[in-house]
Amino acid sequence: MSLMKRISLIFRSKANTALDRAEDPRQTLDYSYQRQLELLSKVRRGVADVATSRKRVELQANQLEAQSAKLQDQAQKAIDVGREDLAREALTRKSGLTGQINDLRAQHAQLQGEEEKLTLAAQRLQAKVESFRTRKETIKATYTAAQAQTSINEAMSGIGEEMGDVGLAIQRAEDKTAQMQARAGAIDELIASGALDDVSSTNSGDDIARELDAMSSRSDVESELARLRGARQPDALEAGDDPVRQPEQQRSTTEGQS
Amino acid sequence: MIVRILGEGQYDVAETHLDRLNELDGAVEAAVSAGDTVSFRAALGALLDGVRSAGAPHDVEALDESDLILPPADASIDEVRALLDADGLIPG
């Protein structure tokens, strides 16, 4: 027997055994309708849960990306002050983050996919539950218990299959979300432990980070000083503070001015 | 004929396509028995694409049973095996 046929038969028999049976078949309709409504709210909760996980992963990815940008910036600063060793350290840490960020982006896409699937599953179930309710009322109004059985069986097996499908979708989404939450938890711990801190983080206790900090503040002070001096005595600064100029050039400039 | 792709919904597929779909189904089955993940992915993708392109979405409000039920597009080999197990994947 083909794969499709085997899956169909097993799925159907499972879906049918899951249905409630009551003494009066018309009551079965009401039981089933209750279960449909429960499943509908369950799948909606599922959508919300997946969305929460997606937002968490998104937040983490943004945090790591901000850290990565900071490290890139620090690498540039370190190069500017001629400290290749510090630049290398910053870039090494950045490359460690890149793997994590790509992983989080992939997880994010997967969760987004699950969220869309569950949203569509909820819409499909909603449409069928509404049809079922109409059919149920018609059957109850039209038939006696004995007459109703065939119509009930039809309506029940149609909705039963949909419920099995939605139940499976919820279960798969839960499994995937649980796996990702475990990984998200691990990343939160990593962030909290400071292992992913950028090199300038003040509490990282990192000598290199402090050195880079000190150097960058020294060079900030120097450039600020230069700017202030420049604003007050532009000519003198131009002549006296430029180490590239030779003394003769300086002299000729001064002579030219007088 | 109504074909359900799990997680996706039902399609109306003309009987004339059944031979072709059975052929594609055979490839999925062979990949599952061989435990060949790579050809399984390709075969399942081809089977589901075959249903989607040959079929039209079945009325969402209809309460009709499907003639055939197929695994979700992103199912793994293990999940398909579980679908074939009466005590397996399908929530009871």
Side-chain angles (χ1 to χ4, degrees):
Chain A
M1 203 193 321
S2 84
L3 184 79
M4 294 189 285
K5 266 275 178 259
R6 275 154 62 206
I7 290 179
S8 312
L9 287 176
I10 292 167
F11 196 93
R12 198 169 300 144
S13 78
K14 269 257 182 172
N16 285 332
T17 50
L19 298 175
D20 301 290
R21 299 284 174 204
E23 218 163 275
D24 181 342
R26 289 171 301 183
Q27 267 186 335
T28 311
L29 292 171
D30 291 324
Y31 291 158
S32 174
Y33 184 62
Q34 278 313 311
R35 291 200 43 198
Q36 291 160 32
L37 294 180
E38 285 161 20
L39 186 62
L40 202 52
S41 58
K42 192 175 171 191
V43 69
R44 287 182 182 140
R45 268 201 310 279
V47 172
D49 288 347
V50 175
T52 307
S53 293
R54 174 181 54 76
K55 284 176 198 151
R56 182 182 183 191
V57 165
E58 204 171 298
L59 198 73
Q60 288 184 330
N62 291 343
Q63 267 179 297
L64 296 194
E65 249 161 25
Q67 281 179 332
S68 170
K70 214 168 183 179
L71 286 166
Q72 173 72 42
D73 192 43
Q74 286 176 332
Q76 183 61 56
K77 276 186 185 152
I79 285 291
D80 290 347
V81 296
R83 289 294 304 271
E84 203 184 309
D85 58 330
L86 288 181
R88 188 179 300 278
E89 169 68 21
L91 292 177
T92 306
R93 292 189 196 182
K94 186 190 161 214
S95 89
L97 287 184
T98 307
Q100 302 267 17
I101 290 167
N102 290 341
D103 191 34
L104 285 174
R105 291 289 169 218
Q107 283 183 48
H108 184 261
Q110 219 181 336
L111 286 171
Q112 208 159 29
E114 288 303 314
E115 197 178 333
E116 278 159 22
K117 271 188 254 170
L118 280 189
T119 305
L120 290 174
Q123 284 167 4
R124 283 194 303 269
L125 181 62
Q126 164 100 48
K128 293 226 193 284
V129 167
E130 268 160 30
S131 305
F132 185 89
R133 191 180 56 82
T134 313
R135 182 91 67 96
K136 168 172 86 81
E137 293 313 318
T138 310
I139 291 171
K140 282 165 72 178
T142 319
Y143 300 107
T144 62
Q147 291 170 322
Q149 194 64 67
T150 314
S151 313
I152 290 171
N153 286 347
E154 280 172 15
M156 295 280 283
S157 49
I159 196 89
E161 187 186 302
E162 189 68 37
M163 290 169 79
D165 191 350
V166 170
L168 181 64
I170 295 173
Q171 194 180 301
R172 296 180 86 231
E174 277 174 356
D175 289 349
K176 282 191 186 157
T177 312
Q179 282 170 17
M180 287 182 198
Q181 274 179 337
R183 286 156 81 184
I187 290 196
D188 274 343
E189 273 174 33
L190 214 56
I191 291 172
S193 75
L196 299 178
D197 281 350
D198 59 275
V199 289
S200 72
S201 181
T202 46
N203 58 1
S204 69
D206 186 330
D207 291 347
I208 306 172
R210 275 199 294 272
E211 198 176 333
L212 184 61
D213 261 357
M215 290 189 72
S216 85
S217 63
R218 267 205 302 282
S219 76
D220 283 351
V221 168
E222 291 306 320
S223 64
E224 183 75 355
L225 267 176
R227 197 184 61 77
L228 289 174
R229 279 200 294 252
R232 284 186 67 175
Q233 293 176 291
D235 295 339
L237 181 69
E238 203 182 310
D241 274 5
D242 193 338
V244 180
R245 283 170 185 256
Q246 297 304 309
E248 281 140 54
Q249 282 179 305
Q250 283 184 24
R251 205 177 306 126
S252 71
T253 314
T254 320
E255 278 163 10
Q257 279 172 348
S258 57
Chain B
M1 185 174 67
I2 302 172
V3 181
R4 174 184 292 273
I5 299 178
L6 290 171
E8 206 171 305
Q10 292 173 303
Y11 293 86
D12 292 314
V13 180
E15 302 274 349
T16 48
H17 297 288
L18 197 55
D19 284 347
R20 172 75 186 131
L21 294 180
N22 270 324
E23 215 175 280
L24 294 169
D25 179 59
V28 179
E29 190 166 20
V32 171
S33 344
D36 181 345
T37 318
V38 177
S39 49
F40 164 77
R41 274 262 75 77
L44 182 61
L47 174 60
L48 300 187
D49 277 344
V51 170
R52 291 182 197 117
S53 61
H58 188 68
D59 178 11
V60 284
E61 288 176 17
L63 297 172
D64 300 322
E65 250 190 313
S66 307
D67 300 290
L68 289 173
I69 297 174
L70 300 181
D74 60 347
S76 64
I77 273 198
D78 288 340
E79 281 180 304
V80 170
R81 288 208 182 102
L83 279 171
L84 291 166
D85 176 357
D87 303 318
L89 202 60
I90 308 150

